[in-house]
Structures are given as C-alpha cells and as structure tokens.
Amino acid sequence: MEDFYKDLEERFLKKTKKLGNIHGCVAWDGYVDKLGYGVMNVNWPREGAKKERAHRLAYMIKERISHNDMPRLDENNNRIECSHLCHNKTRVNSEHIKLEPHAT
C-alpha cells in the first residue's frame, strides 16, 4: 500500500506549485471545479475511481488513509471536514489543513 501512496503523492505534487511566501503555501495547479476547489481523480485500490478534492487528498496522502477511511465525525459526533487554515480553496499544503467541525 505504501507504493500506492508514493505514486499518488508524486502525481499530486506534479499538480502543485510552492508559492515561496513566508507561510509555506502550496497552490493547486491542476483542475479546479466550479466551486473553486482543486480536484484530482484517484483510483483507490479497494474503493475504485473517485474524484477527490485536492485539499482532502493532501490530508489523505499525509495520513496514508483512503477515501473511505476519512474521519466523518469528531469525538462529540459533530460532522467534521478538512479545513484550510488559510481559508483559500486552492491551497493544498497538508500542514495547513486540519479536521474540524463545519461550524468552526
């Protein structure tokens, strides 16, 4: 499975560019959907082909988890999602993405 994530990360990084700012931002340079989110197709070994939002995919690659393994609820049963700390939909530095309730 590690080979899958290494290959996925390599494909992912080809669609990004480091911005060189003091914050260490990384911009998505691939396809962007009508809502402004980066999107990449992934053929998951167990789940098959899925369109993944780039910021979520950055988190999945970092944590080595698949689409179906993404946490959906926090310890209080609140729905959680991947959130950009910089509030920019096209930023994909995995260090700037965390899971938090939608209300946050």
Side-chain angles (χ1 to χ4, degrees):
M1 199 63 183
E2 183 59 26
D3 286 343
F4 170 80
Y5 282 104
K6 285 182 180 180
D7 291 343
L8 179 59
E9 185 172 22
E10 187 176 306
R11 275 185 55 220
F12 180 86
L13 291 174
K14 286 180 181 177
K15 297 176 184 270
T16 66
K17 62 181 174 186
K18 291 183 180 179
L19 298 182
N21 61 23
I22 61 170
H23 305 293
C25 290
V26 177
W28 182 250
D29 203 27
Y31 174 76
V32 175
D33 69 13
K34 64 183 177 181
L35 297 176
Y37 290 97
V39 176
M40 186 171 138
N41 293 320
V42 178
N43 192 10
W44 295 104
R46 292 185 202 80
E47 298 140 21
K50 305 256 186 227
K51 290 184 181 198
E52 300 290 355
R53 286 194 167 162
H55 67 291
R56 288 175 43 87
L57 188 54
Y59 184 86
M60 289 185 259
I61 292 169
K62 175 183 157 192
E63 297 297 324
R64 298 299 200 248
I65 59 175
S66 70
H67 176 91
N68 287 345
D69 294 329
M70 276 292 287
R72 307 283 189 236
L73 301 172
D74 68 10
E75 63 279 355
N76 298 318
N77 283 333
N78 296 311
R79 187 175 148 236
I80 56 175
E81 52 194 43
C82 282
S83 178
H84 303 83
L85 296 181
C86 63
H87 305 288
N88 187 317
K89 295 177 183 180
T90 62
R91 299 299 185 258
V92 294
N93 182 338
S94 62
E95 299 300 319
H96 299 175
I97 297 168
K98 66 177 183 173
L99 297 178
E100 61 185 7
H102 179 76
T104 304

